Amino acid sequence: MMSGVPAPIRILGLAGLIPFAGLAVLAIAGDDPIRQAALRAQIGYGAVVVSFLGAIHWGIAVQTPVLAGWPRMSWGVTPSLLGWVALLLPPLPALVLLTVALLTAQVSDEYSFGGDHPRAWFLKLRRLLSIGAILSLLATLIGIVVEGAP
C-alpha cells in the first residue's frame, strides 16, 4: 500500500497521526482540565497541519517556477488562513472548519498529484493521513457534542 513512498516521509507522516489520535482520546476521555487542554491542543495541531498542506504547493512552485500560477499560489495560502481562523473560533466550529479544510486539501491534492503525475506516490500517504486526521477530529467533535462540552 505504501510502496514508492520514501521511508522518512512514510514514518514521519504516520507519526504525525499520533497527536491527532492521542489528543482525541484525551479530549473525549480525560477529566475536565485535561479534556479542555487536549481540545485546544488538537485544534492548534490541526491548524498547523492544515497550514503545512498549503505550503506543499509553495514548495513545488519554488522547485518548478512554471507551476507558480495564481490558482496554486492562492490555494497555497488558503489553508494557513483557515487554520488561523480555526484558532480564533470556539471548539465546535473550529473542529468543523479544520475537518473541512483537511478534506478540501485532500481534494486539491488529488487534482494536483493524481493520474500519472511523478509525485502520485504522495497521494497514497496523503489519503491515509487525511483519513486518520479527519477521523480523529470527527471523534473529538462527536465526543464533545455528546458530553455537551464547549
Side-chain angles (χ1 to χ4, degrees):
M1 178 177 175
M2 290 288 139
S3 64
V5 179
I9 293 173
R10 181 180 63 246
I11 293 166
L12 292 171
L14 291 171
L17 288 177
I18 295 169
F20 274 117
L23 291 167
V25 169
L26 291 174
I28 295 166
D31 61 11
D32 194 52
I34 290 175
R35 285 180 43 227
Q36 295 302 316
L39 182 58
R40 295 309 316 168
Q42 189 180 53
I43 291 167
Y45 185 66
V48 169
V49 168
V50 166
S51 291
F52 177 81
L53 296 176
I56 290 168
H57 293 272
W58 278 71
I60 287 169
V62 167
Q63 285 186 327
T64 311
V66 70
L67 298 176
W70 282 102
R72 182 182 296 275
M73 298 298 86
S74 297
W75 168 249
V77 298
T78 300
S80 297
L81 295 171
L82 295 174
W84 173 65
V85 168
L87 294 173
L88 303 174
L89 295 173
L92 255 51
L95 290 168
V96 170
L97 177 59
L98 290 171
T99 301
V100 170
L102 284 169
L103 184 59
T104 304
Q106 182 63 43
V107 169
S108 172
D109 287 352
E110 293 285 343
Y111 175 77
S112 296
F113 303 110
D116 293 334
H117 192 283
R119 293 182 187 93
W121 60 265
F122 176 65
L123 286 179
K124 294 177 185 177
L125 183 61
R126 278 282 287 118
R127 288 178 190 130
L128 181 61
L129 297 179
S130 290
I131 289 167
I134 288 168
L135 289 177
S136 294
L137 291 173
L138 288 175
T140 302
L141 184 62
I142 292 166
I144 64 173
V145 167
V146 167
E147 289 289 323

